Amino acid sequence: MGKVAVGAAVVCAAAVCAAAALVVRHRMISSRKWARGLAIVKEFEEKCGTPIGKLRQLADAMDVEMHAGLASEGGSKLSMLISYVDNLPTGDEEGLYYALDLGGTNFRVLRVHLGGKEKGVISQESNEVSIPPELMTGSSEGLFDFIADALAKFVESEPEGFHPPAGRQRELGFTFSFPVKQTSIASGTLIKWTKGFSIEDTVGQDVVGELTKSLEKIGLDMRVAALVNDTIGTLAGGRFYNQDVIAAVILGTGTNAAYVERAHAIPKWHGLLPKSGDMVINMEWGNFRSAHLPLTEYDQSLDAESLNPGEQIFEKLLSGMYLGEIVRRALLKMAEEAEFFGDTVPPKLKKPFILKTPEMSSMHHDTTPDLKVVGNKLRDVLEISNTSLKTRKIVVELCDIVASRGARLAAAGILGILKKLGRDTVKGGEKQKSVIALDGGLFEHYTKFRVCLEDTLKELLGDEAADTVVVELANDGSGIGAALLAASHSQYLGVEES
């Protein structure tokens, strides 16, 4: 019996030792996996690094590319498109103007009543209309007839006392957010459709001419006074309220910038110099590229798999369309190489663009002690349950790395514009104000992104120059801005009403 008891004790001890060894081994493996996960985050953070010196190099590169794009067509990755907008609103504009905003599967018609310096925008009304899917791939005539009919219905609700006198046309600002070769303030040929539209007979045609034909067909006497994009509309809206506005930046699903250039500083402009001496330039800055941009393996794979590889690299680093996707790609690598979410890779995590930037923003702004919002988003969006607090903290850290890089790059871009205009330093004690009008959901709703952008711009400018530069939220450039440009380019400017 004694030998049996001893034998049993030995076997038990061995089993306990083996179990303990398994636990230790499991912990060592877990610890190694966790260390691998942390190493992936650390490497990502380093590759995303935007030290102030690098941001200054990027601002210098933006300035150089701006000069090159103004010198000749195709001379730069920045198109630096001449907008033909040479009169921005002064704030004195009065009267009733219309706007049409076509940029996706819906369009808006707006009516804006302007009251000059004293009253500003007195009132505005708008109506949103869905475009039937068959019209998005039908004929040019079909689409523009549909839009003209909607405009005519909207005009019918014009208040009594606002109808134009006999012989006077209503005037419209047309925001058309598709690639266009602008040929004058109120004409431009469509280069190609995007966003699900595919109407072959519009390509190469003047979109203002197409709309005008449809308006004439139904007897609506309305003149398109300005054809613009949403960035130039934002610039116009900002300038109406504040004459110190010199540039506009859109930070939303996509990103772009426009600014006021001195007409004589545009070598590729061969027309007569405008009376104002100014010309608004649509930079198309989303296509900016530089060896100084902090690209990671996730950015490179995202670009390679996109519909436009090699294009819009700046946009892919900092716009709302892509920030959440970059976070997803980093999380996927951690799941695959470090079992970050357990033994299996969560299937939803493999789905491109499943993690949207608003969800990323919610996680980034989570202030609950146990990061409950992060846990809920991981569960609801990616179907990842039972995450630990330390896992959630890493997710927040990834959001911070991606958002901070994007915000700091946007600040460097703005510094590039200020440099081009000689407004990045204070000269001889003269403190002229420079206001940048910003629009877009990313800037408006992603608080940590906005604060980081503003803080970085101050850091880049230094205290003295930072006091002269203001970043302001300017809403609805594509709507009110277009109506304001119709007013500032009205054929009746300076004509006394009888």
Side-chain angles (χ1 to χ4, degrees):
M1 274 306 276
K3 283 184 184 171
V4 171
V6 169
V10 169
V11 169
C12 271
V16 168
C17 285
L22 274 173
V23 168
V24 169
R25 187 163 172 271
H26 181 70
R27 279 189 185 149
M28 281 172 68
I29 291 169
S30 287
S31 154
R32 271 207 303 273
K33 293 262 168 69
W34 185 253
R36 174 69 190 125
L38 293 181
I40 290 170
V41 175
K42 189 168 187 301
E43 183 191 6
F44 182 47
E45 186 172 27
E46 284 167 4
K47 288 271 173 68
C48 284
T50 48
I52 218 74
K54 186 186 273 271
L55 294 178
R56 288 192 203 288
Q57 289 174 319
L58 282 164
D60 289 341
M62 182 74 81
D63 181 14
V64 168
E65 289 292 318
M66 288 171 77
H67 276 93
L70 291 173
S72 63
E73 293 297 343
S76 162
K77 276 281 189 187
L78 296 178
S79 299
M80 303 299 283
L81 302 172
I82 293 166
S83 70
Y84 295 87
V85 171
D86 54 5
N87 286 316
L88 283 166
T90 59
D92 294 324
E93 290 77 15
E94 294 181 334
L96 199 69
Y97 293 90
Y98 284 83
L100 166 64
D101 177 12
L102 175 61
T105 51
N106 297 342
F107 65 87
R108 283 188 309 154
V109 285
L110 298 93
R111 179 167 44 237
V112 181
H113 183 199
L114 303 173
K117 280 265 191 294
E118 295 295 307
K119 297 175 182 170
V121 175
I122 296 170
S123 66
Q124 65 174 101
E125 299 161 83
S126 67
N127 189 26
E128 189 156 327
V129 183
S130 286
I131 300 171
E134 63 274 15
L135 290 183
M136 294 171 65
T137 54
S139 68
S140 193
E141 184 181 12
L143 176 67
F144 285 101
D145 282 358
F146 180 77
I147 292 168
D149 282 339
L151 257 172
K153 282 194 188 79
F154 188 62
V155 167
E156 282 170 14
S157 66
E158 190 176 76
E160 284 294 328
F162 284 100
H163 306 321
R168 186 174 176 125
Q169 289 179 297
R170 291 180 178 86
E171 293 183 295
L172 172 96
F174 185 7
T175 300
F176 186 75
S177 300
F178 298 91
V180 157
K181 170 84 171 111
Q182 195 104 10
T183 47
S184 76
I185 180 61
S187 61
T189 56
L190 177 67
I191 297 167
K192 63 175 179 180
W193 287 106
T194 55
K195 307 172 196 175
F197 284 80
S198 179
I199 305 170
E200 279 182 31
D201 62 344
T202 322
V203 176
Q205 298 300 312
D206 173 15
V207 293
V208 173
E210 295 293 290
L211 176 61
T212 303
K213 272 191 295 191
S214 293
L215 293 171
E216 286 171 351
K217 202 191 290 184
I218 57 171
L220 180 56
D221 192 17
M222 183 178 270
R223 168 182 172 264
V224 178
L227 173 68
V228 296
N229 74 2
D230 55 354
T231 318
I232 289 163
T234 299
L235 182 56
R239 179 64 76 92
F240 180 75
Y241 292 107
N242 188 336
Q243 289 297 298
D244 291 326
V245 168
I246 55 148
V249 174
I250 303 279
L251 286 166
T253 306
T255 184
N256 192 15
Y259 74 104
V260 184
E261 184 57 274
R262 298 169 296 278
H264 64 76
I266 310 171
K268 69 180 178 183
W269 171 257
H270 301 301
L272 293 170
L273 287 180
K275 283 192 193 123
S276 67
D278 290 333
M279 179 61 73
V280 173
I281 297 294
N282 168 18
M283 288 176 64
E284 292 294 337
W285 88 348
N287 207 34
F288 173 63
R289 186 140 198 191
S290 161
H292 299 298
L293 284 173
L295 294 169
T296 68
E297 62 187 272
Y298 313 109
D299 304 305
Q300 282 154 349
S301 64
L302 184 156
D303 176 50
E305 293 162 29
S306 69
L307 295 171
N308 54 348
E311 299 294 314
Q312 301 295 105
I313 299 299
F314 196 54
E315 180 168 82
K316 286 169 184 167
L317 292 174
L318 60 95
S319 80
M321 172 93 182
Y322 300 102
L323 296 183
E325 172 63 4
I326 298 164
V327 171
R328 181 198 70 84
R329 284 170 183 263
L331 285 172
L332 179 61
K333 178 166 179 167
M334 292 174 72
E336 288 172 342
E337 295 189 13
E339 294 184 6
F340 190 61
F341 298 112
D343 299 343
T344 55
V345 176
K348 280 278 170 81
L349 193 54
K350 295 178 182 174
K351 192 175 174 189
F353 292 97
I354 192 169
L355 183 63
K356 308 281 188 232
T357 301
E359 266 103 30
M360 166 190 169
S361 172
S362 297
M363 294 194 292
H364 195 178
H365 290 99
D366 189 358
T367 53
T368 59
D370 58 348
L371 296 178
K372 191 177 177 183
V373 176
V374 177
N376 290 345
K377 289 291 175 192
L378 291 172
R379 185 193 65 220
D380 298 344
V381 179
L382 298 170
E383 293 180 0
I384 300 168
S385 304
N386 307 321
T387 46
S388 67
L389 180 58
K390 68 177 186 174
T391 297
R392 295 174 190 185
K393 282 180 175 172
I394 294 286
V395 173
V396 174
E397 194 178 337
L398 285 174
C399 294
D400 191 61
I401 292 166
V402 172
S404 299
R405 178 184 65 167
R408 287 172 71 81
L409 291 176
I414 292 169
L415 179 64
I417 297 172
L418 293 167
K419 270 179 176 292
K420 172 70 182 71
L421 296 174
R423 287 170 175 256
D424 58 318
T425 54
V426 176
K427 294 179 178 73
E430 159 201 349
K431 291 203 169 186
Q432 55 176 161
K433 270 258 183 283
S434 302
V435 178
I436 316 289
L438 267 115
D439 196 8
L442 184 62
F443 182 78
E444 186 177 358
H445 302 301
Y446 200 144
T447 308
K448 284 181 186 284
F449 186 99
R450 180 175 70 245
V451 170
C452 180
L453 187 157
E454 290 167 345
D455 289 348
T456 305
L457 189 57
K458 281 180 188 147
E459 190 183 352
L460 284 165
L461 287 164
D463 290 345
E464 193 181 19
D467 285 345
T468 68
V469 175
V470 181
V471 171
E472 266 181 11
L473 179 66
N475 262 323
D476 194 25
S478 55
I480 291 179
L484 289 167
L485 285 164
S488 65
H489 289 83
S490 167
Q491 63 190 330
Y492 304 111
L493 276 182
V495 176
E496 289 294 317
E497 285 196 31
S498 52

